Amino acid sequence: MVLNCIIVDDERVSRVSLKALVDKSSRLNLLGVAENGREALDLVNTHDIDLVLLDVSMPIMNGFEFLDNLERRKNLHVILVTADKEYALKAFDYNITDYLLKPVSWMRFNQGIDRVISALTQKVTDGLPSNFLLLKQIRFMHTRNFDVLEPVSDRNSLIGYSYGLLTESLDFDQQFHALDILEEAERDGIFSGSLEDVIYLCSNCSNNYLNIRESCPKCGSVNLKPRELVHHFSCAYMGPEDEFKSNSTDDLICPKCSKKLKHIGVDYDKPSSVFSCRNCDNLFQDPLLKAKCKSCGSENKVEHLERKVIKKYTLTAKGKEMAKGNFYQNAQQPSSQETNGMDQNKYYFQRVVKSEINRKSKADFESTLGIVTLMNIEILYERIGKEGKSKLLSELFHMLTNTLSGSDELMFRDNESIVILFPERGTDEAVKQIKQLNERLRELFRDNFDGFELDIEHAVLPITEGKDYNEHVTELTNMINKSNNLQ
Amino acid sequence: MTEFLDFWYNKGIAGFIGVFWFYFVIELPRYIFFDYSILLITYLKKKTGWQSYKNARRKLWEERPFLSIIIPGKDEGKHYQSLVRSLNEQTYQNFEIIIVDDGSDDESQYIGRAMERNGEIALFLRNKDRGGKASAANLALNHCNGKYVVHLDADCSFYRNAIEQAMIPFYIRENVGAVGGNLQVRNDEDSLCTMLQAIEYLLYISVGRTVSSSLGILRIVSGAFGVFRKDVLERIKGWDVGPGLDGDLTIKIRKLGYKIHFEPKAVALTSVPNTFGQLTKQRIRWSRSLVRFRLRKHLDLFKPNRNFSLSNFASVAESVIYDLLLNLMWYGYIAYIIINFHQSIGFIMIAGLGLYTLSKVIEFLVVLMLSENWENKLKYIVYLPAMVFYTGYYIRFVRTWAYFKEFFFRSSYKDSWNPPKTSSEALRVEKSYNKWTDF
């Protein structure tokens, strides 16, 4: 699991030493550095941040002022990093995750990160998917418009299979958690699973790279000698095959009656075999099957290996709703919770776009952000009154979500403008899609409001790394204004 | 009733003996006078031998030899747990347990494997294909580490001191090659059939084998409970193809010049067949071995060559004379009675029943005298009249039938007790026997 983090500290020395710790950790991805609370707020509002490493004494806006102004949300964790012990009590009133004293040791730093990760992977009980990583995974699936999460056989994964983003987000030695997360999601009705394979993992480190072989049940040695047992029918003698072998010829001679064995199944048989241990001379038929873990070196009895099932997971209707946050549910009961729903949608949309911008820095793909502005809608709002406006907005939302393809996301920026994200689609495709949408909108208004002809403007912008969410949206708005002015 | 009394009054004692001459001439001397005298001698010897018994016991505990207990068998898994529990209760504890599962069709292999893994037994060996009891025992022998080998049947259980008692004779006398344990019936109250077998075991194993052992002519160490010196078993190279392999093994040990001892105090309990049908099959199997082994394979015991031994000759001759020849003579005797006394056959049968019942009671008194828990055995007395029919007719007919079939048809080689592959090979070898009796 990799967390996006920022460092907030006014002292350069502290910033450098913290940055060194962050760079050393494979679990952290540094998204930015701020010198005071104000800058930190900007970073938090414009980036998809999971963790803030926060100093207390800073000019302009100190650490506590930053916390006062921070719009608290789930999955955003704060670790206070300060040279003063006196802030400790006060700090925990702010519900921070950990409190580190400068200078910060590598071990103590890691403990702090452990705390954040365990908090993030803990189940929250508000109807959202049970786990932060799961949420990331299903959002990703939703925005990429695929419903099926297939296990991919992967030699480099801890468990021999990988589940896309979910496995990638976990540290190598934690990758088995992907299975627990998915199992739980299936129990919660987010996925439906169908069995693909069964795997056995090291009971110590959950590694799938195991070497299974026979060993002596007494001393554990793998230095075994298997021997077939020969039964000579006529004299009933039974013993290991080497007792029947003569030095001079290839014949098998019975050590009891000195007869030559002629024909298997007629005068002799080999009904079983035994193993003897070259290390301790123990003799047995049933060797102990042991699996040596190639990663941690533990010797597992095969019956003690951890058995896990590998399933193909399909996102359920409930899972799809959850991928969109709570908004979709609320839109179905628009009257009382509409404003709240809009807010949540805004927050959700921003997170999705921020993730998209982050991802852009790591992978090569094209995604497009578009805007649709209903230029003369204010006239209509005045005509239909406050209640009519609210109803219209709700219907618009329904109509737009039904028209757009499953992976596209939209947000009402205000009562006039709708911002749309087209993940992994270029500007041409986005424009084509928006034009269709505009056609539908015009029809809708023509059919419902006599004499009102809707005037629509649109603009599209490829998502670019290096620009944050606000910069993208502002640029889009400017494009609309510009084209409007031109007209 | 008066006619019956008149009949016998007229006959007089001489006439009575004349009618039942077979009993008075052949059976009374053998089963009453002879047994009683030998038992008396044995008893007196024991009195004087108390010190040597104590010394032997001390020697056993000083040496504490390691024993290998081997249990070959098929489909016996259900008995493994109770058997091992019974062995773990033994006063003598220096042993390993080796179980051989001879191609069982039931769950024996899982039970045995689990016990091996839990350390309850030292070794569990399984043959996927059944090879017969002899090969299973030989496989076990091949993996024994003990100085002595205890051969047991899985369905037996043992008195706490059974193994200790069975070991002591090795330290009383020199040159003892094997010691047979005493077998008694566990399921005597299941049916009339098991009740009669319980009495039979007491008469013919507990008492009968004590007598044979005292005379030095014991010809069988029962496979259900026998202790063998391992070096002796290795010299005779283990068991040969059965059925009747335990008697065969005993003769092979005798031929090497070792003594065979029966120890009445080493008691094992065994389950016997519940019905006469099952019992008949078992006894036919047992009886065939007289022909197969004593008259065919070990016929050389009768030859006065340089290996001739009087006690070995006697041990086989006693069985051949009493079990085979006199058994055949009995049919002549019955014919004689029918021809001469057919008009008064009813009187003779009633008197015969009385006479034989009385004889059984006298025989049974020995059992009571020798038993430590004789009170428990009093219940058997009421069944003694039935024993007259059981041993006098039933067992006799079964034996005759078995001898006949084996003598003329070698039917033991067709017995499903052994897999056909081993029987057919054994038969082929038997036809060239006299070349093969070197040991």
Side-chain angles (χ1 to χ4, degrees), chain B residues 381-396:
Chain B
I381 288 179
V382 292
Y383 293 95
L384 289 177
M387 279 303 285
V388 175
F389 293 98
Y390 177 79
T391 51
Y393 298 96
Y394 168 72
I395 293 290
R396 206 187 285 276

Side-chain angles (χ1 to χ4, degrees), chain B residues 154-365:
Chain B
D155 61 351
C156 288
S157 55
F158 301 87
Y159 276 56
R160 289 195 69 241
N161 61 356
I163 290 186
E164 184 186 351
Q165 291 291 358
M167 285 302 297
I168 290 173
F170 287 106
Y171 293 84
I172 292 180
R173 294 160 70 193
E174 290 286 309
N175 218 22
V176 173
V179 174
N182 191 1
L183 294 177
Q184 291 181 6
V185 174
R186 180 173 39 209
N187 56 336
D188 57 348
E189 297 199 341
D190 279 7
S191 64
L192 177 68
C193 181
T194 58
M195 186 60 87
L196 295 176
Q197 288 176 81
I199 300 168
E200 185 193 16
Y201 274 58
L202 288 171
L203 288 172
Y204 299 106
I205 296 185
S206 298
V207 176
R209 288 187 189 169
T210 306
V211 171
S212 318
S213 178
S214 303
L215 288 170
I217 60 165
L218 182 65
R219 60 173 183 270
I220 186 159
V221 168
S222 176
F225 182 18
V227 187
F228 305 88
R229 265 171 56 177
K230 191 189 170 199
D231 59 331
V232 174
L233 284 180
E234 282 171 344
R235 275 187 68 190
I236 58 170
K237 294 176 178 168
W239 286 262
D240 293 343
V241 180
L245 68 170
D246 37 7
D248 172 49
L249 185 84
T250 315
I251 296 176
K252 280 161 65 184
I253 295 172
R254 292 192 70 99
K255 281 185 176 176
L256 285 182
Y258 291 101
K259 294 190 180 80
I260 309 290
H261 186 87
F262 173 77
E263 183 47 61
K265 283 200 287 259
V267 183
L269 297 183
T270 182
S271 294
V272 294
N274 262 321
T275 63
F276 283 101
Q278 293 166 352
L279 179 65
T280 305
K281 275 189 195 160
Q282 184 199 53
R283 291 311 164 88
I284 286 179
R285 198 162 60 231
W286 288 4
S287 302
R288 282 171 186 154
S289 59
L290 180 136
V291 176
R292 175 161 168 173
F293 293 112
R294 279 160 231 157
L295 287 187
R296 289 205 172 112
K297 182 169 172 182
H298 298 296
L299 195 65
D300 59 326
L301 286 174
F302 294 97
K303 292 178 187 166
N305 55 22
R306 64 189 165 86
N307 292 326
F308 183 81
S309 144
L310 188 63
S311 66
N312 286 352
F313 170 77
S315 82
V316 180
E318 190 267 348
S319 133
V320 172
I321 291 168
Y322 270 84
D323 296 340
L324 182 69
L325 298 180
L326 294 182
N327 198 19
L328 293 175
M329 195 200 257
W330 181 83
Y331 290 99
Y333 166 71
I334 293 298
Y336 158 80
I337 294 287
I338 293 169
I339 292 162
N340 291 303
F341 302 98
H342 60 274
Q343 282 154 339
S344 36
I345 196 86
F347 299 148
I348 289 171
M349 281 179 75
I350 294 166
L353 177 62
L355 176 68
Y356 278 95
T357 303
L358 182 68
S359 173
K360 290 285 172 214
V361 171
I362 296 168
E363 282 178 57
F364 196 72
L365 285 177

Side-chain angles (χ1 to χ4, degrees), chain A residues 216-221 223-225 227 274-285, chain B residues 96 122-123 142-145:
Chain A
C216 170
K218 197 168 152 194
C219 73
S221 166
N223 193 358
L224 306 182
K225 183 183 177 193
R227 290 191 297 178
V274 289
F275 289 92
S276 53
C277 174
R278 289 195 176 100
N279 185 43
C280 71
D281 287 338
N282 185 26
L283 188 125
F284 49 93
Q285 271 188 321
Chain B
E96 60 176 359
L123 183 59
N142 209 306
H143 296 106
C144 284
N145 298 306

Side-chain angles (χ1 to χ4, degrees), chain A residues 38-71:
Chain A
R38 175 75 58 208
E39 287 178 24
L41 275 180
D42 289 343
L43 277 174
V44 170
N45 290 331
T46 53
H47 289 80
D48 186 13
I49 309 285
D50 303 310
L51 171 64
V52 179
L53 297 163
L54 181 68
D55 185 23
V56 177
S57 314
M58 288 179 291
I60 306 175
M61 185 188 271
N62 71 26
F64 289 117
E65 287 166 338
F66 164 80
L67 289 171
D68 286 332
N69 285 289
L70 180 68
E71 190 188 330

Side-chain angles (χ1 to χ4, degrees), chain A residues 38-231:
Chain A
R38 175 75 58 208
E39 287 178 24
L41 275 180
D42 289 343
L43 277 174
V44 170
N45 290 331
T46 53
H47 289 80
D48 186 13
I49 309 285
D50 303 310
L51 171 64
V52 179
L53 297 163
L54 181 68
D55 185 23
V56 177
S57 314
M58 288 179 291
I60 306 175
M61 185 188 271
N62 71 26
F64 289 117
E65 287 166 338
F66 164 80
L67 289 171
D68 286 332
N69 285 289
L70 180 68
E71 190 188 330
R72 295 312 294 264
R73 56 167 205 255
K74 267 188 274 324
N75 306 330
L76 175 63
H77 289 260
V78 176
I79 293 179
L80 227 54
V81 189
T82 171
D84 299 310
K85 287 180 189 168
E86 59 198 86
Y87 300 125
L89 271 180
K90 188 179 174 189
F92 281 100
D93 283 344
Y94 280 88
N95 199 21
I96 61 157
T97 308
D98 207 349
Y99 186 97
L100 304 180
L101 273 177
K102 289 178 192 171
V104 184
S105 72
W106 170 240
M107 202 177 77
R108 186 65 188 84
F109 182 74
N110 261 321
Q111 283 174 353
I113 308 303
D114 286 343
R115 278 195 190 188
V116 176
I117 287 175
S118 77
L120 281 172
T121 47
Q122 256 171 22
K123 185 179 169 100
V124 286
T125 52
D126 59 355
L128 276 169
S130 61
N131 181 295
F132 171 67
L133 289 179
L134 179 66
L135 195 58
K136 266 193 172 176
Q137 175 66 42
I138 62 174
R139 270 185 197 149
F140 181 76
M141 290 171 73
H142 182 66
T143 54
R144 293 302 184 274
N145 202 21
F146 66 91
D147 291 346
V148 182
L149 180 56
E150 290 208 49
V152 179
S153 181
D154 180 1
R155 184 63 202 82
N156 295 316
S157 153
L158 177 80
I159 59 171
Y161 278 98
S162 73
Y163 280 104
L165 188 65
L166 191 57
T167 304
E168 278 168 30
S169 309
L170 289 161
D171 285 350
F172 179 75
D173 54 3
Q174 299 291 315
Q175 281 174 353
F176 63 93
H177 276 315
L179 296 175
D180 301 334
I181 292 169
L182 289 167
E183 266 172 41
E184 198 177 320
E186 191 185 4
R187 274 199 299 278
D188 292 345
I190 296 164
F191 282 119
S192 67
S194 62
L195 187 91
E196 289 278 298
D197 200 0
V198 171
I199 54 167
Y200 287 89
L201 305 176
C202 169
S203 57
N204 181 43
C205 71
S206 298
N207 199 301
N208 178 241
Y209 190 9
L210 301 165
N211 181 22
I212 298 175
R213 66 271 196 268
E214 292 124 341
S215 66
C216 170
K218 197 168 152 194
C219 73
S221 166
V222 292
N223 193 358
L224 306 182
K225 183 183 177 193
R227 290 191 297 178
E228 280 192 296
L229 293 173
V230 176
H231 170 204

